[in-house]
Amino acid sequence: MKVITLVSTLSLFAASSLVNAFSLADVKKGANTGSIVPGRYIVEFDSNAHLSSANLKRSASPHEYIYQQLKARDTPYTVHQEYSSDLFVGASISLASDADLASLISITGVINLRPVHLLTLPAKFLEAANTQWTCKNPPGSSTTIPSGSTATAAPQVTTSVKCTGKGKKQACTTKTVTISATATSTTKAYPTTGFSPNSQIQVDQVQATGNNGAGVKVGVIDSGVDYKRAPLGGCFGPGCKIAGGYDFVGDNFDGSNDPVPDDDPYDDCYGHGTIVAGIIGANDNEYNVTGVAPEATQYAYRIFSCGGATTDDIAFQAMQRAYNDDMDIISASIGETSGWTESMLSVLAGRIVASGTVVVISAGNQGQVGAFYSYSPAAGKDVISTGSSDNSIYPAHNATVSTGYGPVTYFNFQAFTTGTLPIYAYTTDPSVTADGCTVPDGTPDLSPYVVVVRRGGCSLAQKAQMAYYQGATAILVVNTPGTPPTYQNFPLINFAMVNSDDGNYLLSQANTGNTTTSNTTLSFSFNPIAFPNYWSGNTTSFFSEIGPTNDLFISTKVLAPGSNIIGVYPSALYNWTLVQGTSFSAPFAAGSAALYMAAKGVNNVSPKDVLAALETTAEPLAVSVSDTTLESVAAQGAGRLNIAEAINSNVAISPSEILLNDTAYFASVQYLTLKNPGWSWVTYKLKNVPAGTALAYQTGVNQSNDEPVPQVPNAASVKFSQKSVTLWPFGTTVVLMQFTAPTGLDPQTFPIYSGYIQISGGPSVTQVPYLGVAAKMKDMPVLDPTPYYLGLNTPTILDANQNVQVGTTTYTFQGSDHPTVLYRLVGGTPLLLIDLIDASATLPFSPNYNSRKRSTASSPEAEIALMKRSLDARRGKSTGGFTPGSGKSASLLSLWCQLTNWKGQGCPSSPGGGNTFSKVPILGNLYEADFIPRSTDNADGEGGDYNQFELSTAAFANGTTIPNGTYKFLMRALHITGDRASEADYEAWVSAPFTVSQ
């Protein structure tokens, strides 16, 4: 069998694609195996299982015991990674067939497993797609500025490298210097450009005190680092900025071949990790983008190859290695769509935090698809999951116009080649809608000019390419009025945008056709300007992930700048780039955590202290520049970091976030503990500051809302036991709070209400975010029965030709002749099952997946029992749903029972056992998946809009052959907070009949 789960993996560099209309032709059988690596699992072992084996020495390991048991069962297996620490004992194991999975699960010492997923980084950033452009200049033209112009040499970045050793393992010291042909000043090594976003999170204030993060070790799990770059120290090893690390993959790993690890995390072919390392700790440089904690020591753990691929079992290994190497902070810009706190990476991240190491993870970049779409491992308990706030500036340069107009600001973080050029335009007619998409006949050699064209009609790359083919060395694109600029990087031609007013002026002064009547020129030099971001500055980025998790934990904890970020890049990839995404927000948070720990002492604060300090002093941001309503906590968490206030706060608050749950398990009574950490008496005042209530689902339609998720003013109210408290030096008090959920809301929109408990006193204002859902999560629909997005009612069977099956169809299971179930999830589910039943089977329930089943509790005692069960489950989930060394996890036991048709040891299948689910007359299980996120409408172009299950071989999940006969598929999806043993808690669908004939 084959399962196709079309969910996005890693998209931590922001996407900006538009929704594409869906067509059944888009469904390609076997075209995409999704993020799951077939047959490969991260498996947790009981750390004491081997002690009971009579055939092993007491010095043996749990691994040896498990492998011995697999061999005794004649189960072939391949071990990819082994894990041995006080946090997790286990291995990444591949099995040859589905039948072997049941064999593995039956081993007593196996207590949990999850399938391995492929993780991918985004395409490289502002690199040139035009490096493959064919040289096609007109005869006699040149791609360089002709000698007859007034151009002078550009500021050149020259690099000298002194190395010892050989090959990739050599240790090098790099010196980078910016030289201008006319530069004579020696007053300062680097100019102050204002390109750094550090001041937006108060890093400049902390660095001004002399705190640069010295004494803190930060482990960066990413694509490696070009440590030869001068801003990153120029060397590798003890005493260097990049003091150590490990390469887990090598250059050519693609997720399916064997990695080639070594002890050198050097990367000159991808660059993602180099950017991250620079944000955390770059030395001062020509762009003045100094790192947040430049004196912190970094260790680089390379898990992504040159192609940007890895698997989460390798990421798992890197997280353990960083923990074992005694990092103070682990920063990872990795993730995959999850919606739950249950993935293995989230579990491990939470355990690392609980064991004393700060973990910072990027929140994810699929905010465009709406709420309840959190990422893993960002959802791990007490992980500092970091979303993105829009930079308050656009990096740009100023050019001088010979007429005295201006200056003209052009949007490129790099300056154009230094020189003076006349202006040329193909046309000055604004009605030409495809200006620059082709080169008009009679156009001269453009090498002496800067070309000015209007935006629109074709891609920016095409405009640049056409100008380059005509010999141009520089092009300015006039932007559409009222829209923010777009950055592009084409190393074969200087490229930038200008605003419409400046662009129209330049067009009015341009030479056109074969005329050279205009003498107006533009002069370029290194003349940087931090242009204000009038469009979205200081708001939550549109791509930043929106929670909460399906089990109602806040998944984005804080924000940090994540757009228009200038990053250090490998020398082989042009030294510098400009990026956006939560990949680059996370290192701002990691560097801020380093500053906090350096200020307080790394041994004096716990990870929860760091998280609490960052959350309670963050600044909640407004919805937009024109709407001062506070953005939902689901999107921004506590708000944007304020590290100086975190270090200098005059109150310590616990807890640092308040989880109110849903209406079924409403936690209305909460408390805050306030502590005065100073030597003076302080009076604190408390008040409720509501944020907008986000409507996660559309009114009257069981479909989620895309970003911007609509917000309404209906807010929670709060009663305080004390609205004002006065605390003596180092005194502590507790304030009780009674929350009342907002009213007047449609529960079918699953309103996410939130806000902040603000505590003011002394020089600073702090706040604690809260969040709840004004509906029962158990009522959230799961299976999508509508043609809303796919254009046909689903779930449904697709035949061998990818058409909807009509009538009872016979499948031979030869080649592609097999059935496929196409389905879509409008809500997340903790358990999805596809079973096989006889075509004539009588079910003890009506498979009506259109209904929204509600709680069956009918008494206060039943409600209390349900609440206790939910609370216990949530406590379990906070540590991964199981305790290391204990028996099998609930999800693993469920899988075992599915594979054995509820006949395996430990399965509650007796008629009197209360397991109504086990009474369904299934012939066998075909597929089981745990903790699945909802589907999207592909608003961000990242997929995840539908799922497929291919019954590619006539066999059950345990490997048993399906006899010839006529059958139906039975799909069941468990409601959030539902009971796995209660059939009433599932949505169910029964397919049309089909015949197996082999």
Side-chain angles (χ1 to χ4, degrees), residues 517-565:
T517 57
S518 173
N519 294 318
T520 303
T521 60
L522 274 176
S523 295
F524 300 97
S525 63
F526 187 77
N527 189 9
I529 177 175
F531 192 87
N533 181 357
Y534 298 118
W535 300 275
S536 62
N538 305 313
T539 64
T540 305
S541 300
F542 74 96
F543 56 79
S544 191
E545 209 72 13
I546 304 176
T549 65
N550 289 319
D551 34 6
L552 298 190
F553 289 94
I554 297 174
S555 56
T556 294
K557 304 290 189 185
V558 293
L559 301 176
S563 68
N564 304 332
I565 306 298

Side-chain angles (χ1 to χ4, degrees), residues 11 56 137 155 202 218 327 415 432 519 620-621 665 679 686 797 881:
S11 299
L56 290 174
N137 295 352
Q202 301 180 339
V218 183
M327 295 297 106
V432 177
N519 294 318
L621 300 181
Y665 308 114
W679 291 96
L686 293 87
I797 301 178

Side-chain angles (χ1 to χ4, degrees), residues 357-709:
T357 301
V358 174
V359 176
V360 181
I361 307 288
S362 47
N365 284 342
Q366 291 191 268
Q368 287 171 276
V369 301
F372 292 108
Y373 207 66
S374 60
Y375 259 48
S376 167
K381 182 172 174 58
D382 294 328
V383 165
I384 303 175
S385 57
T386 309
S388 172
S389 60
D390 271 6
N391 202 333
S392 65
I393 63 128
Y394 276 91
H397 282 78
N398 278 339
T400 303
V401 188
S402 59
T403 62
Y405 175 92
V408 169
T409 299
Y410 62 97
F411 292 92
N412 191 323
F413 72 96
Q414 297 174 316
F416 275 22
T417 303
T418 299
T420 299
L421 299 172
I423 305 165
Y424 184 88
Y426 300 121
T427 177
T428 59
D429 183 356
S431 66
V432 177
T433 58
D435 186 16
C437 297
T438 58
V439 177
D441 293 338
T443 300
D445 172 13
L446 295 178
S447 57
Y449 300 98
V450 55
V451 180
V452 181
V453 299
R454 298 183 190 276
R455 188 175 189 174
C458 62
S459 69
L460 298 176
Q462 184 173 339
K463 293 176 186 288
Q465 185 179 16
M466 291 298 101
Y468 165 74
Y469 281 172
Q470 198 63 21
T473 59
I475 181 171
L476 296 173
V477 177
V478 182
N479 198 11
T480 306
T483 60
T486 298
Y487 290 90
Q488 295 285 328
N489 185 24
F490 306 112
L492 298 181
I493 186 171
N494 290 309
F495 175 95
M497 280 190 172
V498 294
N499 68 40
S500 58
D501 288 341
D502 287 345
N504 287 331
Y505 177 80
L506 295 179
L507 287 171
S508 73
Q509 300 295 305
N511 296 287
T512 58
N514 287 314
T515 63
T516 56
T517 57
S518 173
N519 294 318
T520 303
T521 60
L522 274 176
S523 295
F524 300 97
S525 63
F526 187 77
N527 189 9
I529 177 175
F531 192 87
N533 181 357
Y534 298 118
W535 300 275
S536 62
N538 305 313
T539 64
T540 305
S541 300
F542 74 96
F543 56 79
S544 191
E545 209 72 13
I546 304 176
T549 65
N550 289 319
D551 34 6
L552 298 190
F553 289 94
I554 297 174
S555 56
T556 294
K557 304 290 189 185
V558 293
L559 301 176
S563 68
N564 304 332
I565 306 298
I566 296 177
V568 183
Y569 219 29
S571 295
L573 303 174
Y574 312 108
N575 289 320
W576 299 94
T577 189
L578 186 140
V579 293
Q580 69 176 14
T582 62
S583 275
F584 314 111
S585 305
F588 280 107
S592 296
L595 295 181
Y596 184 84
M597 297 180 78
K600 302 296 183 181
V602 293
N603 296 320
N604 297 331
V605 290
S606 70
K608 291 193 72 171
D609 294 333
V610 177
L611 172 62
L614 297 184
E615 281 192 303
T616 57
T617 57
E619 177 187 2
L621 300 181
V623 170
S624 68
V625 293
S626 60
D627 183 350
T628 59
T629 304
L630 293 181
E631 181 76 75
S632 170
V633 170
Q636 70 167 322
R640 188 176 59 190
L641 294 173
N642 279 324
I643 183 58
E645 291 188 24
I647 292 172
N648 300 308
S649 176
N650 69 335
V651 62
I653 309 170
S654 178
S656 59
E657 57 187 50
I658 297 170
L659 306 177
L660 298 174
N661 220 315
D662 66 355
T663 56
Y665 308 114
F666 182 41
S668 61
V669 177
Q670 300 283 339
Y671 69 91
L672 289 177
T673 299
L674 308 182
K675 180 180 179 180
N676 177 3
W679 291 96
S680 302
W681 289 72
V682 179
T683 297
Y684 302 101
K685 296 182 179 180
L686 293 87
K687 71 174 182 177
N688 174 33
V689 180
T693 292
L695 305 182
Y697 280 71
Q698 299 178 43
T699 301
V701 182
N702 62 345
Q703 302 288 334
S704 58
N705 274 310
D706 289 336
E707 173 68 7
V709 177

Side-chain angles (χ1 to χ4, degrees), residues 660 666 668 688 715-719 737-743 753 770:
L660 298 174
F666 182 41
S668 61
N688 174 33
S717 60
V718 185
K719 291 182 179 179
M737 298 170 292
Q738 175 75 52
F739 283 82
T740 300
T743 59
Y753 63 92
Y770 63 82

Side-chain angles (χ1 to χ4, degrees), residues 4-7 22-29 31-32 789-790 794 798 802 821-825 935-937 943-948:
I4 299 179
T5 307
L6 297 179
V7 296
F22 185 87
S23 168
L24 190 58
D26 296 332
V27 181
K28 304 297 184 184
K29 183 176 288 190
N32 187 335
Y789 178 71
L790 295 181
T794 57
L798 302 182
Q802 289 299 87
V821 178
L822 175 69
Y823 63 99
R824 187 167 178 269
L825 304 178
S935 300
T936 75
D937 61 2
D945 46 345
Y946 63 92
N947 305 76
Q948 290 187 83

Side-chain angles (χ1 to χ4, degrees), residues 706-884:
D706 289 336
E707 173 68 7
V709 177
Q711 293 192 169
V712 294
N714 309 51
S717 60
V718 185
K719 291 182 179 179
F720 298 93
S721 62
Q722 306 168 77
K723 286 189 175 182
S724 178
V725 294
T726 300
L727 286 179
W728 57 95
F730 306 103
T732 300
T733 192
V734 175
V735 176
L736 294 177
M737 298 170 292
Q738 175 75 52
F739 283 82
T740 300
T743 59
L745 296 166
D746 178 3
Q748 293 189 7
T749 63
F750 292 91
I752 304 169
Y753 63 92
S754 62
Y756 302 87
I757 302 302
Q758 186 183 92
I759 301 98
S760 58
S764 62
V765 175
T766 55
Q767 56 277 318
V768 176
Y770 63 82
L771 180 146
V773 173
K776 293 181 180 180
M777 291 300 292
K778 193 173 183 180
D779 289 343
M780 183 174 285
V782 185
L783 298 176
D784 186 2
T786 72
Y788 175 85
Y789 178 71
L790 295 181
L792 68 161
N793 293 323
T794 57
T796 192
I797 301 178
L798 302 182
D799 62 22
N801 298 315
Q802 289 299 87
N803 296 318
V804 175
Q805 177 182 301
V806 178
T808 302
T809 301
T810 298
Y811 297 97
T812 64
F813 293 87
Q814 300 297 313
S816 62
D817 188 27
H818 56 261
T820 297
V821 178
L822 175 69
Y823 63 99
R824 187 167 178 269
L825 304 178
V826 291
T829 176
L831 177 62
L832 180 77
L833 298 167
I834 301 178
D835 298 311
L836 198 67
I837 61 175
D838 190 274
S840 60
T842 300
L843 298 177
F845 62 90
S846 297
N848 182 6
Y849 57 95
N850 286 291
S851 65
R852 297 188 177 197
K853 301 183 179 71
R854 304 197 175 256
S855 170
T856 57
S858 57
S859 66
E861 292 78 10
E863 289 287 354
I864 292 172
L866 282 172
M867 186 175 295
K868 182 178 185 301
R869 187 182 72 213
S870 176
L871 179 61
D872 291 342
R874 285 178 63 111
R875 286 173 174 166
K877 288 171 185 175
S878 68
T879 56
F882 55 92
T883 303

